[in-house]
Amino acid sequence: MRTPLIAGNWKLNKTISEANKLATQLVTGLTGVSDREVVIAPIFTALSSVADIVKNSPIQLAGQNCYPEESGAFTGEISPLFLRDAGCQYVIIGHSERRQLLAETDAFIQQKIVKSLAGGLKPILCIGETLEQRENNQMFDVLTQQIKGALKNLTAERIATLVVAYEPVWAIGTGKTASNEQAQEAHAFIRKLLAELFTPDIAETTRILYGGSVKPGNVDELMAEKDIDGALVGGASLNAEDFIRIVRFN
Ligand code: 13P
């Protein structure tokens, strides 16, 4: 019922020529993939050349962030309008690196979600607890607050295209993946929360991705969990062979 989605977040990596090369390898390696969605999120400066390369392939594009205004005097920002113009269908919003390094709040993230949806982009909303929060038994409270904050004043109809990515901060870039049980527990909780806050239908159709040290060696078991609908991959998405294997999970 939920089409699996594997997304590669390239973060601040790959020059334009390196991005083009990786995209070309992915197009070749992913021909024929049709029962799952594939998304990559290169740096902004590489979006338009990568868009040309992935045209007519199963690969779709995401921006790594956006500003909640369409255009105007917002030096250094990028908006849903221009991400669409560059060829994006998706946008990653509220990544923990931005929450931590750039002090993004749930309220600001909510504005980005609203504008992305209005601008025709599908948001990939990132949420997740820190190690300290997990150890203090605050995980469920943190996830609840992040979901409620980011989706405040939105209706079930509005969030029909939303994707949620559960990315426990302690598992990002650390090589320490959440166990299948830990990930499944968080995903089931998020789904239940969506049912309570919106409708059972939205909970049933919204894809919830797992992110945090996803690799070729652990993707199959993660994807076997009932509430894990895909992956948001960082480090391993920078290597064509690894990312292709992850997309081709069993
Ligand atoms: P890693 O896969 O490198 O742990 O990164 C996960 C992530 O932050 C994806 O957004």
Side-chain angles (χ1 to χ4, degrees), residues 7-9 11 92 95-97 126 167 171-175 211-214 232-237:
N9 176 7
K11 307 191 180 182
I92 297 171
H95 193 280
S96 62
E97 284 150 15
C126 302
E167 299 206 304
I172 295 179
T174 57
S213 300
V214 175
L232 182 54
V233 188
S237 72

